[in-house]
Amino acid sequence: MAKTWETPQMVQETGFRWSRVVVYGLLVFFGAVYLLPLLVMLLTSFKPLPEIYAGNMVALPRHWTVEPWVNAWTKACVGLNCNGIKGYFWNSIQMTVPAVVISTGMGLLNGYVLTKWRFRGANVLFGLILFGCFIPFQIVLIPMATFLGRMGIASSTTGLVFVHVVYGLCFTTLYARNYYMAFPDELVKAAMIDGARFFSIFRRVLLPNSGPIIIVAVIWQFTNIWNDFLFGASFSTGTSAPMTVALNNVVMTSTGEREYNVHMAAAMIAALPTLMVYVFGGRYFVRGLMAGSVKG
Amino acid sequence: MQTTVMTEQEARAPAGSVTQPAARVGWSSPRGWLQQQLPRLVLSPTVVITLVFVYGFILWTLYLSFTRSRGIPSHELVGWLNYQRVWNHPRWSVALHNLAVFGILYIALCLVLGLFIAILLDQRIRQEGALRAIYLYPMALSFIVTGTAWKWMLNPGLGLEKLFKDWGFANFKFDWIIDERMAIYTVVIAGVWQASGFVMAMFLAGLRGVDQDLIKAASIDGASLPRIYRRIIIPQLRPVFLSAVVILAHLAIKSYELVVALTGGGPGYATEMPSTFMYAHTFTRSQLGWGAASATMMLLTVAAIMVPYLYSEVRTVRSRRQ
């Protein structure tokens, strides 16, 4: 299993007092640097426009206002369509939820087969599937555009769900496989002797013990699909676009004075779902990240 | 003692033996055959999807890269013409140059910063969890959000430049984002901000796995802490370095969103990358053949990095299990 940072520290404190101050000082400084963009986004999104042009970016708003958020949600212009980003936010939800559910479910079953019902060539198949996680998606854009067009699901949420399932499967399969690898074969054998078959073993023996890996896979898929831009930009048009594409359009749309506060509010709205997931499930998000990089 | 060994051997028996009960069900009945084939059937949609939409599409793009495809795919073969055109294109040279600059700095800075913060965090820090969460949250954001935020921070009139001027540095100048020569470095800044926390997490996990006895022995011998890190701990992190470099390198080659949101490839095409070149020629400039050729070259570069890495990773996992 991948080592995690949760294991206790081992390096003993040996330096003297003021070296601790330096360490903490540096850590807090880096923390501030990492937090700065988020802080600036938040502050800017609560400021009226004149204050933005007059003051600096870390100044607290003198008049707090939620108007930029309201405008971003209901009035911001995405290209020529000035109805705010709410529709696109909804698009993203409609795209993300089914794609996450389907790819996670399939990935769990794949992992189950690849570890508990291994057959000749299973490792080669896994290797082939695994490589799919790392291809630059530019290589599939042109064929996929043609394919979605022929299937009649170009520029639709269905098309994007399909694309995200297809290219998310390798990750969910990887997670489930690595997780079930450590699951005792004896329990599977025992269930088999009791007469349980393929699906009932999965449902009664593995699934009840799959909580952590389901959370890891769901969080990973949710974050990746919600944050995707390349597929969204390539395979959607106009009002069917997901949130990230809409955000980019809001920022790029320049009619008159640039409403930076609205841009930042829109960016925050786009970031909030994944930030919330990170705040509440950060531990599992990290596990997903690590499993995607350091296997074993 | 004997029994423990037995169970251990059982546990190590290849999982393939699990399929044996299928023989008990029997091949004779159609249901038994179905039951026997069920695992393969369940895996088959994913296998088919992978073969068609990963490998099939790769071949399709490869084929297109040798055709005279412009606005729509064509079947007229033209040999290496698209590759020649792309290689002689000034924007492609800029893209390659930018990829080199971005890739090297992005990887180096992420490694240095990630390792440094990980070492700091490994000194029995109070509130370590909270700090870790702060360093890593950018990884949960979309590149588009990151790009939007940094575009605003780097805005010469209203962002960091203005901030430092307000703080009394009247001559402070920080207009890289609109400077053709410097714009690529703003992509580096935003990229490092986003990914260095992730590298920190990898190093921290590595640090926590270092053999403590070695460290104790060295400190009893009177080695100073920096020396212990340099001589004992960091050399043991070699696998983490390898993983981090591979992951970062493939992210660098694929990076597209960040450039789009931060600079839009500009000013002019100063921050062009292979990915933006591919996208522009495929979707807006009606040069599918060029798009396919550039995508193929991106894939080959990624494959050259990832295939040996994945191969060795899967192999070590297997040998560790046996």
Side-chain angles (χ1 to χ4, degrees), chain A residues 8-12, chain B residues 207-223 228 232-233 236:
Chain A
Q9 296 105 311
M10 31 194 36
V11 175
Q12 300 293 319
Chain B
L207 286 172
R208 302 275 150 94
V210 170
D211 185 3
Q212 199 180 5
D213 292 340
L214 268 175
I215 300 167
K216 271 190 187 146
S219 63
I220 288 167
D221 285 349
I228 292 177
I232 299 172
I233 300 179
Q236 285 196 46

Side-chain angles (χ1 to χ4, degrees), chain A residues 199-233:
Chain A
F199 281 114
S200 58
I201 293 173
F202 179 68
R203 214 176 51 240
R204 296 211 205 114
V205 182
L206 277 96
L207 214 48
N209 294 299
S210 304
I213 204 62
I214 293 175
I215 301 177
V216 168
V218 165
I219 286 184
W220 177 264
Q221 285 298 88
F222 179 84
T223 309
N224 264 358
I225 298 173
W226 184 275
N227 286 345
D228 163 73
F229 176 80
L230 183 61
F231 288 144

Side-chain angles (χ1 to χ4, degrees), chain A residues 108-230:
Chain A
L108 288 175
L109 279 171
N110 291 343
Y112 169 52
V113 171
L114 286 169
T115 53
K116 303 302 171 212
W117 297 84
R118 286 211 268 174
F119 48 85
R120 199 182 261 280
N123 264 332
V124 177
L125 283 182
F126 176 64
L128 283 176
I129 295 170
L130 189 59
F131 181 63
C133 294
F134 301 98
I135 56 168
F137 292 124
Q138 280 79 8
I139 197 76
V140 299
L141 286 186
I142 301 171
M144 189 52 100
T146 310
F147 175 82
L148 292 177
R150 293 225 183 117
M151 291 286 114
I153 48 174
S155 306
S156 73
T157 304
T158 318
L160 281 176
V161 169
F162 177 78
V163 173
H164 284 299
V165 168
V166 164
Y167 298 107
L169 272 176
C170 60
F171 281 109
T172 54
T173 303
L174 166 69
Y175 295 154
R177 176 200 178 257
N178 285 0
Y179 184 80
Y180 289 147
M181 198 99 107
F183 189 87
D185 289 343
E186 287 81 356
L187 293 180
V188 177
K189 279 185 201 164
M192 225 172 244
I193 291 162
D194 288 346
R197 297 267 180 92
F198 183 82
F199 281 114
S200 58
I201 293 173
F202 179 68
R203 214 176 51 240
R204 296 211 205 114
V205 182
L206 277 96
L207 214 48
N209 294 299
S210 304
I213 204 62
I214 293 175
I215 301 177
V216 168
V218 165
I219 286 184
W220 177 264
Q221 285 298 88
F222 179 84
T223 309
N224 264 358
I225 298 173
W226 184 275
N227 286 345
D228 163 73
F229 176 80
L230 183 61

Side-chain angles (χ1 to χ4, degrees), chain B residues 13 17 20 39 56 58 68 94 117 134 136-137 163 215 247 257 274:
Chain B
S17 61
Q20 272 172 4
I58 288 174
R68 194 185 295 282
V94 173
I117 296 178
I134 290 172
L136 200 65
Y137 85 91
L163 180 67
I215 300 167
I247 297 295
E257 279 105 331

